Amino acid sequence: QRLHGMMIAEQLIGAQGHDIIGFTPRPNQAKAWTAAALLHGAIHVLFFRYRAAVFGQEQFCFGVLDHSTKRATGRKWKEAKASFAFARAHSDIWLAPIKSKVALIYDTENIFAWQAQPQS
């Protein structure tokens, strides 16, 4: 079993915005993003907001359930369930040990090193 992996802490599933309602993911877009995250090394995916806030800074950040969506209903609820079903059905793939011949490491220390001593 994989010992290392990343967590996607705020996977978008609904419209996002703070002072106005912004981008709304298309139907099944969150499912595609979830599949891509799992297949690129994520071992945990959490959707941003279960239910949309009714007041405050994030009242225009919609979640799995919108303001008027009843629990366990709605398009995004079904999409979240489908995402988790996909993860369960294909866990042998995304939890498989990583076998790589090459590793690409990109972090702040490496960025600084390449800036301080650039290579051809």
Side-chain angles (χ1 to χ4, degrees):
Q1 184 168 344
R2 179 182 289 181
L3 299 175
H4 302 286
M6 61 185 168
M7 178 173 77
I8 307 300
E10 293 187 350
Q11 173 69 54
L12 296 180
I13 195 164
Q16 298 300 305
H18 288 279
D19 52 350
I20 60 170
I21 296 176
F23 172 76
T24 301
R26 306 286 19 121
N28 291 314
Q29 185 66 53
K31 184 178 172 185
W33 287 336
T34 300
L38 293 172
L39 296 172
H40 282 93
I43 58 173
H44 303 282
V45 176
L46 305 171
F47 289 114
F48 178 66
R49 293 211 77 97
Y50 169 68
R51 178 177 288 288
V54 295
F55 59 86
Q57 180 73 23
E58 293 185 347
Q59 66 182 328
F60 297 122
C61 296
F62 290 74
V64 174
L65 301 179
D66 295 334
H67 293 102
S68 60
T69 308
K70 294 181 181 179
R71 287 171 49 183
T73 65
R75 177 187 64 81
K76 292 181 290 176
W77 173 269
K78 292 174 185 167
E79 188 170 345
K81 282 183 64 174
S83 297
F84 297 132
F86 172 85
R88 280 190 300 275
H90 299 288
S91 62
D92 58 323
I93 297 171
W94 64 271
L95 287 176
I98 298 172
K99 298 177 183 175
S100 301
K101 294 181 180 181
V102 175
L104 177 63
I105 300 174
Y106 185 82
D107 60 20
T108 53
E109 288 83 10
N110 282 333
I111 295 169
F112 175 76
W114 284 101
Q115 289 172 344
Q117 185 177 4
Q119 304 296 316
S120 62

